[in-house]
Amino acid sequence: MLRRLYSGSNLDRAQSLYDLRARAVKKLPNFCREYLEGGGDDELTLSRNRQSFNDILFRPRMLVDISQRDLSTQIFDQRIAMPLAIAPTGFNGLLSHEGDLKLALAAKKAGIPFIQSLVSTVSLERIAATGVRHWMQLYLFQNRENFKGVIERAKKAGCEALVLTVDTSVLGNRTWDRRNYRAPMQLNLRNLIHLATRPAWVWDILVPKGMPKFTNLGDSLPPNQASAKNAASFLTKEMDASLNWQDVRWLRENWQGKLILKGLLTSEDALQAKALGVDGIVISNHGGRQLDSAPSAIDVLPEIRQAVGQDFLLIVDGGLRRGSDLIKALCLGANLVLSGRATLYGLAAGGQAGADKALEIIQTEADRTLGLLGCTEINQLGKEYLL
């Protein structure tokens, strides 16, 4: 009998994130799958994000009492169940109805932070009301008044941290995604036909209230113009190509909570961020969707950790598919790892139950890997556990 990933609806039978991905691919229309899976240009960076993790080998120690193990850690003076957070990803309402809310509830249940994207399809106030540890991701707009409005809403909602994305001043060339459309946000005939083969998706997404809206851009868009098409046009026009370190300084002065920069890949930029009083950075190539041939986060993590020292929060983003990947990142100096596509596979496969399952798989695999390495706590991890 040939090996085959499980793609059925019984989530209990999913043995790995790859099973959840197989189920997601089976359920999603083609254009949604491409949006979820695609990268920039030739997708070299997208592939490298996985290959870099695969190339890391462990150096386990034996005859250690590993009967009691603990994955919990402390981030910003609060403990979380494991060193993982759900990454900010946009338009999750395409994968499951009110997908962002389901991800937030899954994160709360797992005891980890949820980073909400500005281009999510559930309002930040509703996410904050769940009681999840809530961080809000932002893009800097040319119109600073629009930007200030989102900051004020985040402040009133009690968001713990702002996560400013800095690697999208120029949008990447996502060719496979664009091939699905005959005009911006207008599906071509091939994809419209394929949509008819996914009735469950249609009834989950389109039938309740039509295409999801970018609710967090409501203050920035004209009245009744929060559709995907109008919001995409707005974002393209409003992305500020002049974004620079003075803007980071301004944001630091105007936001009293925790501030994180997402999208840095060099030690020089990490040191600059630290000097400006930023509380941490996300080492990220935007999931391989921006600059192709950029390094993976795990490639540059050791250099950045050495540059900034041990007292600065480093978060790794991109490529996580196994709990063992989380452990590898911790060995190389990360404090926290983000789950982007990994939890989206679960969301697309089975809504909140699927997201719960994805986080359960990651936690179980990470705990098992910790034990197999001969460790009982994650603060014991270091380069000595890698070849």
Side-chain angles (χ1 to χ4, degrees):
M1 181 178 293
L2 294 175
R3 288 183 171 184
R4 181 185 303 172
L5 293 172
Y6 178 72
S7 61
S9 60
N10 184 355
L11 296 175
D12 290 336
R13 292 186 59 187
Q15 300 297 311
S16 71
L17 294 172
Y18 294 103
D19 288 331
L20 295 178
R21 177 183 178 274
R23 175 62 181 169
V25 169
K26 188 175 180 179
K27 287 183 64 178
L28 292 175
N30 179 69
F31 80 97
C32 291
R33 181 181 63 82
E34 286 291 357
Y35 175 75
L36 171 60
E37 294 275 64
D41 290 323
D42 296 314
E43 300 185 337
L44 300 176
T45 297
L46 180 65
S47 297
R48 186 173 184 83
N49 283 347
R50 274 306 309 149
Q51 191 58 50
S52 294
F53 273 114
N54 290 340
D55 288 343
I56 297 171
L57 300 180
F58 285 121
R59 185 172 177 268
R61 302 299 300 273
M62 300 300 156
L63 297 173
V64 178
D65 181 356
I66 54 170
S67 57
Q68 301 294 322
R69 300 185 298 279
D70 184 9
L71 285 174
S72 69
T73 190
Q74 188 163 292
I75 301 294
F76 296 146
D77 300 322
Q78 294 184 50
R79 294 203 75 77
I80 56 177
M82 58 177 163
L84 187 78
I86 294 185
T89 51
F91 219 1
N92 293 330
L94 276 179
L95 306 181
S96 182
H97 180 59
E98 296 195 324
D100 300 285
L101 184 61
K102 294 171 182 176
L103 286 171
L105 291 171
K108 181 183 179 183
K109 181 178 178 181
I112 62 173
F114 173 68
I115 311 177
Q116 183 180 5
S117 171
L118 179 63
V119 288
S120 57
T121 54
V122 175
S123 72
L124 67 90
E125 289 83 2
R126 288 186 66 196
I127 297 298
T130 66
V132 71
R133 196 163 173 188
H134 185 208
W135 301 356
M136 190 69 199
Q137 178 269 338
L138 299 174
Y139 299 104
L140 188 65
F141 298 145
Q142 294 182 40
N143 185 332
R144 292 296 193 268
E145 291 306 313
N146 289 336
F147 188 72
K148 289 179 181 177
V150 178
I151 294 176
E152 187 60 29
R153 287 174 60 198
K155 180 179 179 181
K156 289 181 179 179
C159 292
E160 179 183 13
L162 292 184
V163 180
L164 178 66
T165 294
V166 299
D167 60 357
T168 54
S169 295
V170 175
L171 292 178
N173 183 30
R174 302 165 194 176
T175 54
W176 285 106
D177 188 26
R178 293 208 315 272
R179 286 187 174 102
N180 297 293
Y181 303 92
R182 55 186 174 85
M185 299 306 295
Q186 296 181 39
L187 291 175
N188 58 28
L189 180 60
R190 173 175 168 267
N191 278 276
L192 287 172
I193 293 172
H194 189 262
L195 195 60
T197 70
R198 297 294 186 268
W201 182 90
V202 171
W203 281 95
D204 179 38
I205 306 298
L206 296 185
V207 172
K209 292 186 178 179
M211 284 292 282
K213 303 291 192 298
F214 289 115
T215 55
N216 291 299
L217 297 175
D219 294 340
S220 307
L221 296 168
N224 302 316
Q225 295 295 305
S227 69
K229 180 179 179 181
N230 290 323
S233 176
F234 167 82
L235 287 170
T236 300
K237 294 176 181 176
E238 279 293 309
M239 288 297 186
D240 193 351
S242 70
L243 177 65
N244 60 67
W245 290 108
Q246 285 302 112
D247 296 307
V248 175
R249 188 187 305 275
W250 172 85
L251 182 55
R252 178 70 286 178
E253 292 171 353
N254 285 274
W255 172 257
Q256 303 307 310
K258 301 298 183 182
L259 178 60
I260 299 168
L261 299 188
K262 180 177 181 290
L264 305 184
L265 287 168
T266 66
S267 56
E268 294 89 345
D269 285 346
L271 286 169
Q272 181 77 342
K274 185 178 181 181
L276 288 176
V278 170
D279 297 289
I281 66 169
V282 181
I283 308 172
S284 173
N285 56 39
H286 213 94
R289 295 162 71 84
Q290 284 294 100
L291 176 65
D292 208 15
S293 295
S296 70
I298 205 74
D299 287 336
V300 298
L301 170 60
E303 173 197 338
I304 293 177
R305 172 54 76 196
Q306 183 175 9
V308 299
Q310 297 301 314
D311 61 342
F312 190 63
L313 180 69
L314 292 186
I315 305 171
V316 164
D317 172 54
L320 176 79
R321 297 294 184 275
R322 288 280 186 184
S324 56
D325 297 331
L326 187 153
I327 300 299
K328 290 174 181 180
L330 298 176
C331 286
L332 289 172
N335 301 107
L336 193 67
V337 179
L338 298 189
S339 170
R341 288 182 175 95
T343 30
L344 293 183
Y345 292 147
L347 179 69
Q352 185 186 336
D356 290 340
K357 183 65 176 180
L359 292 175
E360 176 191 322
I361 288 171
I362 294 170
Q363 185 168 28
T364 299
E365 291 180 346
D367 175 73
R368 181 186 301 116
T369 303
L370 190 70
L372 290 172
L373 274 180
C375 290
T376 58
E377 299 178 357
I378 62 171
N379 60 12
Q380 298 171 350
L381 297 171
K383 291 182 180 180
E384 64 272 20
Y385 286 96
L386 303 177
L387 280 178

